[in-house]
């Protein structure tokens, strides 16, 4: 059994390849049982959480022969870890043979998650963002943001990137780290409204409890990519945004019930589940159309799925 570290994963992955691997995965038949959620009582502090996210398949990874795999991501959430300078969320991915069940590899779960989450947004953008999109606004400056910037740049001819964050210093730091790389001119901004109005693609990765992006700010033809706000009580876009845009999700089961950007306006009767034009399965299989015309505003909401983890893990294993 191999142990594959985050640095190895970062050396293996490219977004162009991973996007195509995910496209193949969403076209295939993959089993994704409901994730297991366990609370671990800790008398000396906040309760911890253990998450188990399994998946198995038979799809042929791009450029490789048909093989079956089983995978499970194991995630622990210990809220009190911040008191001892450790991450609150940690994860490991185990990949097994679908033919014998034997363990094949153990991988860094955080690295797998960062790469697959950003690649899923880029996959959606390949159907939903205008082909001439060259200006990106990144809302949020956390660990996922640089991955999202690179991912979107792999599917659209981006040249200009603005980064907005509630803490301007964090946006400045990330902009300095990326500016000039990957053919991108990257700057920080404190003008969120102006950044949204001038962007072709707006990507959000925050844990905001209040809407950040307003529909009135979205220019004709903008693609809005909502990656954060993964709980029903969190939200990155307002009601005007979801009523103005043609709506898409990664999976209906996850996005419509778990994500506040969808769940809140559905609960309020502002939109219905039927207003979602397509999910990634339907887009990748050609069953539903993505962007219909140049000036259309599109919105993609993701909450993540074990399909993406499994596809990314197989991709890494076959290239390692």
């Amino acid at each position: 059994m191999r142990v594959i570290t985050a640095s190895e994963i970062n050396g293996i992955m490219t977004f162009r390849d991973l996007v195509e691997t995910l496209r193949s995965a969403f076209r295939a038949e993959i089993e994704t049982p409901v994730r297991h959620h366990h609370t671990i009582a800790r008398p000396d502090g906040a309760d911890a959480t253990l998450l188990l996210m399994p998946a198995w398949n038979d799809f042929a990874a791009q450029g490789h022969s048909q093989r079956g795999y089983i995978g499970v991501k194991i995630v622990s959430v210990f809220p009190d870890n911040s008191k001892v300078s450790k991450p609150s969320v940690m994860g490991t991915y185990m990949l097994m043979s679908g033919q014998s069940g034997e363990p094949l590899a153990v991988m860094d779960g955080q690295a797998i998650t960062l790469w697959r989450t950003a690649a899923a947004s880029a996959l959606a953008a390949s159907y939903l963002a205008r082909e001439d999109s060259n200006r990106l606004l990144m809302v949020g400056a956390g660990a996922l943001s640089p991955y999202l910037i690179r991912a979107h740049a792999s599917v659209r001819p981006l040249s200009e990137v603005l980064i907005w964050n509630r803490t301007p210093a964090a946006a400045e730091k990330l902009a300095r780290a990326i500016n000039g790389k990957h053919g991108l001119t990257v700057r920080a901004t404190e003008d969120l409204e102006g950044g949204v109005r001038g962007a072709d693609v707006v990507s959000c990765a925050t844990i905001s409890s209040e809407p950040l992006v307003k529909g009135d700010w979205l220019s004709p033809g903008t693609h809005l990519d909502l990656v954060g706000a993964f709980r029903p009580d969190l939200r990155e876009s307002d009601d005007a945004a979801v009523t103005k845009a043609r709506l898409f999700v990664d999976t209906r089961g996850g996005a419509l019930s778990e994500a506040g950007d969808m769940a809140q306006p559905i609960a309020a009767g502002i939109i219905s589940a039927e207003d979602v034009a397509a999910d990634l399965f339907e887009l990748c299989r050609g069953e539903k159309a993505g962007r219909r015309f140049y000036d259309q505003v599109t919105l993609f909401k993701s909450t993540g799925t074990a399909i993406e983890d499994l596809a990314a893990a197989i991709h890494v294993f076959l290239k390692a």
Side-chain angles (χ1 to χ4, degrees):
M1 181 176 68
R2 292 204 55 181
V3 175
I4 303 177
T5 65
S7 61
E8 289 180 276
I9 292 170
N10 292 337
I12 290 168
M13 292 284 209
T14 70
F15 279 112
R16 286 186 181 276
D17 287 345
L18 185 56
V19 167
E20 294 311 314
T21 295
L22 292 191
R23 200 187 310 273
S24 296
F26 277 100
R27 289 172 177 165
E29 296 299 325
I30 300 178
E31 295 292 330
T32 55
V34 175
R35 69 182 182 184
H36 298 252
H37 185 289
H38 302 280
T39 299
I40 302 172
R42 301 183 70 240
D44 57 343
D47 288 351
T49 302
L50 179 66
L51 299 173
L52 306 176
M53 288 165 273
W56 54 88
N57 77 334
D58 265 333
F59 82 89
Q62 184 185 16
H64 300 275
S65 60
Q66 182 81 18
R67 296 179 66 177
Y69 296 91
I70 304 167
V72 60
K73 186 162 71 173
I74 305 167
V75 178
S76 63
V77 184
F78 279 67
D80 291 339
N81 276 3
S82 59
K83 299 175 183 177
V84 291
S85 301
K86 291 184 179 181
S88 296
V89 181
M90 290 187 263
T92 301
Y93 199 88
M94 175 173 282
L95 186 68
M96 295 163 277
S97 167
Q99 298 170 347
S100 66
E102 65 182 302
L104 300 174
V106 173
M107 307 180 191
D108 185 282
Q110 183 179 21
I112 290 289
T113 301
L114 290 169
W115 277 93
R116 65 81 157 161
T117 302
S121 282
L123 174 61
S126 72
Y127 297 101
L128 305 178
R130 296 196 326 261
E131 292 189 4
D132 62 352
S133 298
N134 60 33
R135 292 174 296 180
L136 169 72
L137 172 67
M138 184 69 240
V139 180
L144 183 58
S145 296
Y147 289 83
L148 283 164
I149 292 169
R150 289 170 55 196
H152 281 294
S154 75
V155 297
R156 288 297 181 261
L158 299 181
S159 59
E160 301 176 24
V161 177
L162 288 178
I163 302 173
W164 179 91
N165 195 67
R166 287 191 188 277
T167 305
E172 290 280 0
K173 181 178 179 181
L174 180 57
R176 286 195 301 270
I178 302 177
N179 186 40
K181 297 179 180 179
H182 315 293
L184 300 173
T185 299
V186 185
R187 296 181 291 114
T189 182
E190 295 185 34
D191 181 6
L192 179 58
E193 178 180 349
V196 172
R197 290 185 182 277
D200 300 316
V201 178
V202 178
S203 185
C204 302
T206 74
I207 53 171
S208 178
S209 58
E210 298 293 333
L212 295 170
V213 176
K214 301 184 184 302
D216 291 343
W217 299 348
L218 295 169
S219 301
T222 302
H223 172 56
L224 178 57
D225 171 45
L226 303 176
V227 185
F230 55 90
R231 299 197 312 257
D233 61 317
L234 303 177
R235 197 163 179 189
E236 295 179 309
S237 64
D238 68 357
D239 291 340
V242 296
T243 56
K244 185 175 188 175
R246 182 169 165 83
L247 305 177
F248 301 85
V249 297
D250 55 352
T251 65
R252 294 176 190 269
L256 299 185
S257 61
E258 297 177 14
D261 287 285
M262 296 286 105
Q264 289 184 31
I266 287 175
I270 294 166
I271 61 171
S272 69
E274 288 69 35
D275 289 320
V276 174
D279 58 25
L280 280 180
F281 297 100
E282 294 163 324
L283 289 174
C284 292
R285 295 170 182 174
E287 296 170 354
K288 298 287 182 65
R291 172 174 291 275
R292 287 176 168 176
F293 52 88
Y294 189 82
D295 286 344
Q296 186 171 54
V297 175
T298 55
L299 183 155
F300 173 69
K301 177 58 196 169
S302 66
T303 51
T305 167
I307 293 171
E308 299 158 2
D309 293 311
L310 179 62
I314 295 170
H315 182 84
V316 168
F317 178 71
L318 293 176
K319 288 182 173 291

